[in-house]
């Protein structure tokens, strides 16, 4: 739905799901982002985290489970296969969607990073906004559509999904744990009879994965240059270009309105999301895009649409009757932008493959839709589109099929805040634009703004080490 009107009313922030899980601050653990092991190796071992801090017994089990390939139908895939610690627990490749344990099957959505999920509240149709100003709206929850309420309950989804880990039953997963090298650790953590009830044992596996993700510091290292900047710490001095980029983020580009960087309900800071859901109308990831490196196989079915909050993966907001109007259709979770530079597939359908493309998409979605959506009609000599565009050329008189991944009934749900819409962006007005920019209008950001903004986004990568001699020239310096 178009973003709730922001009124100057203070909404009392709710304290939600705020378990500890704090990875400590970046200065104390400068190398906390170091990978706790490659995709398949098990762990740093010995009951401790990657930084040597003790892990609870449940988290120690979770650490084993996370890297255990025997917990997939084909014994060839663990959580870490898709959520690779070396890629901020995101995907280790640029595929829009990953192959499953059954390699003839493909996923439906891009793999999110698992970093900075420790403060995510459960989903609600009317969640408080951390900015304390925006009216309550759909927010919270795990997955692109928020359908899992906790990290513990989320685990069942990949384990049992036929296009992911492809186990046929809870019992199959429990049996694999029982046969595994850490069965004794499991009973130590969850009780001598922990394996006797399959449903309870399966739930304990979820608890273990949650404990691991909450306790292991590499899931929330807070060790980026931006963290040093926020904490006013040595090494956290942003360059002139990065500071301009931060201003674009907060004002001209209005990224801040959704990728909220302020203090959160629970003491965290700079998570770069307000946990809400918005429809951006991102292009359909299919073979209509020339040379598309990674179309979603399921999209070859032209009657299939991934509508986020209203399904089909999520089933409690399905329009009834089918196809009728619903403000929930087309909305996806605002993802964190931390470690965004380590990704090479962007948005829920992975249709874009560079930050240049993403930021230009925001800037020109409405002023130059022919860059992003397939067009019909037109004739004559084509003009070349910029290198970042998905569609390389445009025929004079052609009509772009804007928002082609949404049935017409739901296209009105698409957000028109700045930078897409007109009006002023920024942390003071919180993005007052509501009218779409139109072809011929000036985009919100200049090329210099975009370059600076990307420099700023690069400061969100964990594991930052200040150089001994800071560079004196370069795109992201002056
Ligand atoms: C085949 C690739 C794959 C595997 C294996 C996999 N995941 Fe995921 N994971 C995904 C995708 C894709 C999503 C987004 C799904 C959606 O939105 O419907 C996701 C989402 C998540 C989320 C939600 C993150 C967020 O931003 O809300 C968590 C947590 C998660 N996975 C944990 C796990 C755990 C734990 C395991 C192992 C039990 C696992 N995943 C195995 C692909 C995978
Ligand atoms: C109206 C709210 C809103 C505004 C304003 C906004 N975003 Fe987003 N952003 C989203 C949503 C929602 C998604 C996920 C959309 C989807 O996948 O369909 C997203 C996704 C992204 C992604 C992809 C992340 C990933 O893991 O795939 C990047 C990068 C991004 N935004 C950067 C920006 C930047 C930079 C700006 C400012 C120029 C900005 N956003 C402004 C809501 C917003």
């Amino acid at each position: 739905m178009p973003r709730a009107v922001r009124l100057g009313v203070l909404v009392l922030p709710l304290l939600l799901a705020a378990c500890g899980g704090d990875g400590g601050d970046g200065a104390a653990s400068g190398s906390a982002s170091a990978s706790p092991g490659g995709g398949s190796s098990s762990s740093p071992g010995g009951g401790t985290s990657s930084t040597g801090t003790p892990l609870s017994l449940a988290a120690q089990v979770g650490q084993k489970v996370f890297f255990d390939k025997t917990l997939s139908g084909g014994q060839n895939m663990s959580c870490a296969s898709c959520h690779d610690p070396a890629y901020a627990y995101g995907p280790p490749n640029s595929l829009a969607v990953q192959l499953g344990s059954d390699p003839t099957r493909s996923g439906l959505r891009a793999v999110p990073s698992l970093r900075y999920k420790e403060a995510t509240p459960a989903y609600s149709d009317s969640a408080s906004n951390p900015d304390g100003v925006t009216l309550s709206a759909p927010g919270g929850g795990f997955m692109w559509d928020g359908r899992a309420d906790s990290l513990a309950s989320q685990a069942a989804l990949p384990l049992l999904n036929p296009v992911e880990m492809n186990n046929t039953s809870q019992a199959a997963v429990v049996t694999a744990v029982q046969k595994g090298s850490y069965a004794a650790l499991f009973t130590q953590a969850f009780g001598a009879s922990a394996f006797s009830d399959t449903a309870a044992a399966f739930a304990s596996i979820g608890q273990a994965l949650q404990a691991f993700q909450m306790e292991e510091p590499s899931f929330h290292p807070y060790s980026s240059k931006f963290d040093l900047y926020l904490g006013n710490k040595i090494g956290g001095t942003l360059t002139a270009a990065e500071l301009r980029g931060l201003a674009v983020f907060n004002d001209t580009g209005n990224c801040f309105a959704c990728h909220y960087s302020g203090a959160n309900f629970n003491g965290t800071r700079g998570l770069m999301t307000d946990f809400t859901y918005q429809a951006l109308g991102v292009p359909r990831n299919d073979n209509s895009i020339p040379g598309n490196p990674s179309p979603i196989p399921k999209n070859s079915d032209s009657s299939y649409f991934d509508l986020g909050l209203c399904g089909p993966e999520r089933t409690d907001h399905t329009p009834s009757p089918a196809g009728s109007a619903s403000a929930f259709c087309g909305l996806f979770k605002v993802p964190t932008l931390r470690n965004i530079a380590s990704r090479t597939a962007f948005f829920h359908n992975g249709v874009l493959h560079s930050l240049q493309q993403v930021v230009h998409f925001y800037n020109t979605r409405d002023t130059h839709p022919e860059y992003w959506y397939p067009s019909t009609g037109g004739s004559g000599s084509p003009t070349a589109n910029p290198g970042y565009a998905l569609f390389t050329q445009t025929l004079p008189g052609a009509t772009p099929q804007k928002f082609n991944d949404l049935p017409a009934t739901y296209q009105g749900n698409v957000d028109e805040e700045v930078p897409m819409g007109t009006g002023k962006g920024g942390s003071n007005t919180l993005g007052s634009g509501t009218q779409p920019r139109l072809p011929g209008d000036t985009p919100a950001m200049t090329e210099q703004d975009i370059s600076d903004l990307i420099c700023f986004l690069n400061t969100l990568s964990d594991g930052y080490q200040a150089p001994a001699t800071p560079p004196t020239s370069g795109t992201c310096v002056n």
Side-chain angles (χ1 to χ4, degrees), residues 346-347 352-363 372:
F346 298 91
F347 291 134
L352 299 184
H353 291 281
S354 71
L355 280 174
Q356 283 286 346
Q357 281 191 313
V358 174
V359 180
H360 280 100
F361 169 74
Y362 277 104
N363 209 35
W372 308 107

Side-chain angles (χ1 to χ4, degrees), residues 42-424:
S42 61
S43 72
T48 58
S49 74
S50 61
T51 56
T53 53
L55 293 175
S56 67
L57 285 171
Q60 291 175 43
V61 173
Q63 188 181 47
K64 301 286 187 191
V65 169
F66 194 85
F67 297 97
D68 186 352
K69 290 189 176 178
T70 71
L71 304 189
S72 59
Q75 315 242 317
N76 55 355
M77 170 171 269
S78 71
C79 308
S81 305
C82 294
H83 301 286
D84 188 331
Y87 292 82
Y89 293 97
N93 56 48
S94 62
L95 293 175
V97 295
Q98 303 296 317
L99 297 179
S101 174
D102 169 355
T104 65
R105 317 230 15 204
S106 268
L108 300 172
R109 292 177 178 163
V111 180
S113 163
L114 299 188
R115 281 208 175 142
Y116 302 104
K117 304 295 163 181
E118 77 277 16
T120 303
Y123 175 82
S124 159
D125 283 347
S126 108
S128 299
N129 196 293
D131 69 20
V133 179
T134 305
L135 289 183
S136 295
F142 299 94
M143 311 301 251
W144 285 101
D145 53 16
R147 70 191 186 281
D149 271 347
S150 68
L151 290 170
S153 65
Q154 185 279 336
L157 301 175
L159 285 166
L160 302 178
N161 190 335
V163 305
E164 293 181 339
M165 294 172 83
N166 193 27
N167 290 290
T168 48
S169 64
Q170 294 188 353
V173 181
V174 172
T175 304
V177 171
Q178 203 166 6
K179 285 190 189 149
S181 60
Y182 52 96
L185 186 62
F186 190 84
T187 45
Q188 218 186 328
F190 296 105
S193 57
F195 286 116
S196 59
D197 178 312
T198 300
F202 187 76
S204 297
I205 292 168
Q207 289 296 338
L209 283 164
Q210 169 166 304
F212 177 52
Q213 292 172 75
M214 295 301 284
E215 293 176 32
E216 162 58 48
S218 64
F219 284 98
H220 20 71
Y222 295 96
S223 61
S224 68
K225 186 176 190 184
F226 186 58
D227 289 302
L228 295 177
Y229 169 80
L230 284 179
N232 219 356
K233 299 218 169 85
I234 290 167
T237 308
L238 300 187
T239 66
E242 290 161 352
L243 280 172
R244 288 194 306 271
L246 174 58
V248 174
F249 190 89
N250 288 338
D251 293 303
T252 332
N254 198 40
C255 315
F256 174 95
C258 301
H259 299 285
Y260 177 67
S261 59
N264 202 347
F265 333 102
N266 38 40
T268 54
R269 216 171 149 196
L271 291 188
M272 316 318 256
T273 175
D274 64 2
F275 308 110
T276 63
Y277 289 79
Q278 315 289 337
L280 295 186
V282 307
R284 187 172 176 86
N285 187 3
D286 65 9
N287 283 318
S288 69
I289 299 168
N292 189 347
S294 183
I296 296 179
K298 178 86 176 167
N299 277 347
S300 57
D301 172 358
S302 61
S303 66
Y304 169 79
F305 289 95
D306 184 352
L307 298 176
L309 279 187
C310 91
E313 294 298 299
R314 190 181 177 116
T315 52
D316 59 350
H317 292 75
T318 311
S320 169
S324 58
S326 159
F328 292 99
C329 293
L331 277 69
F332 291 87
K333 185 166 69 176
V334 178
T336 177
L337 299 183
R338 282 178 169 266
N339 298 297
I340 199 67
S342 65
R343 291 188 72 80
T344 42
F346 298 91
F347 291 134
H348 71 274
N349 62 5
V351 67
L352 299 184
H353 291 281
S354 71
L355 280 174
Q356 283 286 346
Q357 281 191 313
V358 174
V359 180
H360 280 100
F361 169 74
Y362 277 104
N363 209 35
T364 59
R365 184 196 74 184
D366 292 355
T367 58
H368 293 279
E370 70 277 12
Y371 295 175
W372 308 107
Y373 304 99
S375 296
T376 54
S379 60
S381 322
T383 44
N385 293 334
Y388 53 74
L390 284 181
F391 290 84
T392 49
Q393 54 181 36
T394 308
L395 281 181
T399 312
Q401 308 300 298
K402 229 176 143 179
F403 309 145
N404 69 333
D405 209 15
L406 281 178
T409 323
Y410 307 124
Q411 293 182 359
N413 293 346
V414 172
D415 194 274
E416 296 294 357
E417 257 177 292
V418 176
M420 289 79 75
T422 58
K424 187 191 175 314

Side-chain angles (χ1 to χ4, degrees), residues 434-449:
T434 48
Q435 296 300 311
R437 270 167 227 267
L438 295 170
D441 288 353
T442 307
M445 294 174 274
T446 63
E447 288 300 318
Q448 181 68 51
D449 289 338

